[in-house]
Amino acid sequence: MRRLRRGLVRAASEISEGVRIALANLVGARLRSFLTTLGIVIGVMTVIAIVAIIQGLNASFESQISTLGAGTVYVSKFGWFVAGRDAWWEMRNRKDLGRRELEAIQREALHASAIAPMAMTRGPVTRAEKEVSSVQIIGTNAQYLETGAGSVAAGRFLAEIDVDLSRNTVVLGAELVDRLFPGATAEGALGKKVVVNGIPFTVVGTIGRRGQLLGMNMDANVIVPYTTFLRDLGGKRSLNIAVAAAPEDLPALEDELVGILRRVRQVPPDKKDDFALNRQEQFLKVYRQLTGALYGVAIGVGMITLVVGGIGIMNIMLVSVTERTREIGVRRALGARRRTILLQFLIESSVVAALGGAVGTALGLGVAQLVALLTPLAAAATPSAVALGIGFSAGVGLLFGSWPAWRAARLDPVEALRYE
Amino acid sequence: MDDALILVEDLCRYYEVGGETVRALDGVSFAIERGEWVAIVGQSGSGKSTLMNLIGCLDTPSSGSYRLNGADVQGLADDALADLRNKEIGFVFQTFQLLPRATALANVELPLVYRGVSRRERRDRAEAALAAVGLTNRMHHRPNELSGGQRQRVAIARALVGEPSLLLADEPTGNLDSSTGEEIIRLFDDLHRRGHTILLVTHEPRLAARCPRAIRLTDGRVVGDGPGAEVATLTAARVVHA
Ligand SMILES: Nc1ncnc2c1ncn2[C@@H]1O[C@H](COP(=O)(O)OP(=O)(O)OP(=O)(O)O)[C@@H](O)[C@H]1O
Ligand SMILES: [Mg+2]
């Protein structure tokens, strides 16, 4: 027990001594330490800045993507991500999706928990002398909200009877409430008349604020029964159909939808689908490809500069070992073991590197903040990035400091004491 | 003889330099009891430092045996030698060998750091050791803020702080003027009277003459061993200690 305690105290005091010596040497040779760590500072700064920006992008992207239902398949003529003009023209020339497809899905998609058509157009919405131009007008049914499209803030959503009777009822997005009824609460809009694309509608409800999706304002819209939409606002548009399911049913649902749609649209077995099933996941996939490439660049740049920085540290530690040969001799004479000397120099190189890493991290976060201020990009600094920046630099110091430290530990005490 | 603090028998240390063998120590034997104060004298190159390094466990002999405190030092691993130096031996060097960036106190604490003594005890003992050499008011000075004599006293405090069995001083007055050197020697005298065992390498016959015993080396061999006053003035003939 006593021996163990002594050993622990010895290890602890050697480590704290090592850190103390390292710091004293740092202060003693400020300019040199600064130059030594420059490589590490720049490397860590670059990596941290890029990572912070990516993480910022991630955070804003995730909050945006969540406005699309996670468990929703969007059936459409167009795929969300089109590779090339030919593919786009091919999609353009497809048959429109219409009521036939909608009704077939409603009849046969057993895995669906909600099915909502989405007919869309843009047009002005006015009330008295107030006008909001180019509003997204969505024609849908009572199940629309269940496909992950927000929730009611005031009043009610469209009911089945609104759809069945093609009523002129409308649900307003949050921004429309703000702009058409300035100063009023959401309730203040209920029962009021607004004119959508020249047709009068009665407000029955409002939707809570949803924010942006990739620059698209998700609150600047109005929602009307799709039957009314097709009758009054344009019947010749292709429908999109949002089909929701429990997450575990999604693969089955997709298979089901493919079968239903191919049959209804009479796609010959040797032809490809003439429709697209879009999912939130596709956004994520494309997004991850983009940020993955960015990460790759960050890691590449970071590695190169860290190696350069590490070589700088190795060089300066070799100089330091030579300069302090007599000190090493003295320490050995006073009872320092080889591994004590090794530890001391390892601590020194990793403390120097970690300080460089800390400075680099601070600068990197500064750069990221600057980018966030000057561009629409967001930046977020997670504690893990900071810990990683500092820890990684310390590791580089440890790695590149090990050869000089080994040389120091191997010195013969008599030779070292005689060294001029 | 068995309870001698130092017992060396036929100790040899050879160096190979450019194909030639330099016999720095060539069959040295003697014993030193606890509490003795022994001067090692001899001309430059006679092997004094080489002998001190071997006795200080900084170096290992080419042949011969060395027992410290009854224990064979031969064949000890490097770590064990380091621990032995830490516990049993206090070094005082001609060039002081203080760490330039550390205060006097930190310098004196160093042997205790390598022994795993707690911070508080380290401080207390280092302060006491510095007080014992009369440096209470210089504890927080760095070496370059101290005079030569003061530096050497810091070094002596550092050598003493771990309460070693043996104090090894290789020309401790070599870099000091004669009156400061005298101060240091008086300090050794004092330590001797308090029971410390001291081995002192010196060039100056005057200093050796003050030691109760002196060993003279010539070309790596013992050519005189006896009372300091006799050996110090001796030039060649061998004095056999009674
Ligand atoms: N590392 C070494 N390599 C080769 N020869 C050495 C080495 N160290 C000492 N010697 C030789 O050993 C002999 C004894 O040297 P040592 O340093 O012990 O002498 P000294 O008595 O201490 O001399 P001084 O009074 O000048 O300090 C000398 O001839 C020296 O050249
Ligand atoms: Mg010498």
Side-chain angles (χ1 to χ4, degrees), chain A residues 101-309:
Chain A
E101 284 84 352
L102 174 65
E103 279 156 16
I105 293 171
Q106 282 172 331
R107 229 176 17 247
E108 297 169 34
L110 301 175
H111 290 97
S113 60
I115 299 160
M118 295 188 291
M120 300 206 231
T121 187
R122 287 192 170 271
V125 178
T126 58
R127 174 188 138 72
E129 63 278 12
K130 292 192 184 57
E131 172 173 318
V132 183
S133 58
S134 190
V135 174
Q136 172 101 60
I137 303 162
I138 303 168
T140 186
N141 67 10
Q143 294 182 13
Y144 180 57
L145 290 188
E146 289 162 56
T147 65
S151 56
V152 171
R156 64 171 177 85
F157 194 68
L158 301 176
E160 271 178 40
I161 193 160
D162 294 311
V163 178
D164 291 347
L165 301 182
S166 309
R167 279 178 172 168
N168 284 26
T169 47
V170 65
V171 177
L172 300 183
E175 178 143 347
L176 270 292
V177 177
D178 290 348
R179 296 193 36 196
L180 295 179
F181 302 91
T185 60
E187 278 78 10
L190 301 179
K192 300 281 168 27
K193 290 261 186 286
V194 296
V195 177
V196 178
N197 223 359
I199 315 282
F201 281 82
T202 305
V203 178
V204 295
T206 70
I207 300 290
R209 198 166 292 283
R210 298 177 65 199
Q212 296 220 323
L213 173 61
L214 308 177
M216 224 156 68
N217 187 339
M218 302 293 279
D219 297 309
N221 52 25
V222 297
I223 302 161
V224 302
Y226 79 96
T227 47
T228 318
F229 185 103
L230 296 180
R231 185 190 68 205
D232 295 343
L233 299 169
K236 286 197 283 291
R237 283 169 180 274
S238 181
L239 283 181
N240 293 313
I241 304 165
V243 189
E248 65 272 18
D249 290 341
L250 273 177
L253 175 68
E254 283 194 339
D255 289 348
E256 211 169 42
L257 289 175
V258 169
I260 295 167
L261 289 163
R262 287 183 73 96
R263 188 171 45 69
V264 171
R265 293 164 70 82
Q266 296 169 331
V267 182
D270 57 329
K271 288 272 161 53
K272 289 205 282 183
D273 294 347
D274 66 347
F275 52 88
L277 301 184
N278 295 310
R279 294 195 30 202
Q280 186 206 64
E281 252 180 32
Q282 283 168 279
F283 268 105
L284 285 173
K285 225 170 91 187
V286 168
Y287 176 79
R288 287 207 189 98
Q289 278 168 3
L290 284 172
T291 54
L294 259 179
Y295 265 122
V297 169
I299 289 167
V301 169
M303 283 299 164
I304 291 166
T305 39
L306 283 178
V307 166
V308 171

Side-chain angles (χ1 to χ4, degrees), chain B residues 45 48-50 94 170-171 201:
Chain B
K48 306 183 295 292
S49 295
T50 306
Q94 178 175 353
D170 194 345
E171 308 238 20
V201 169

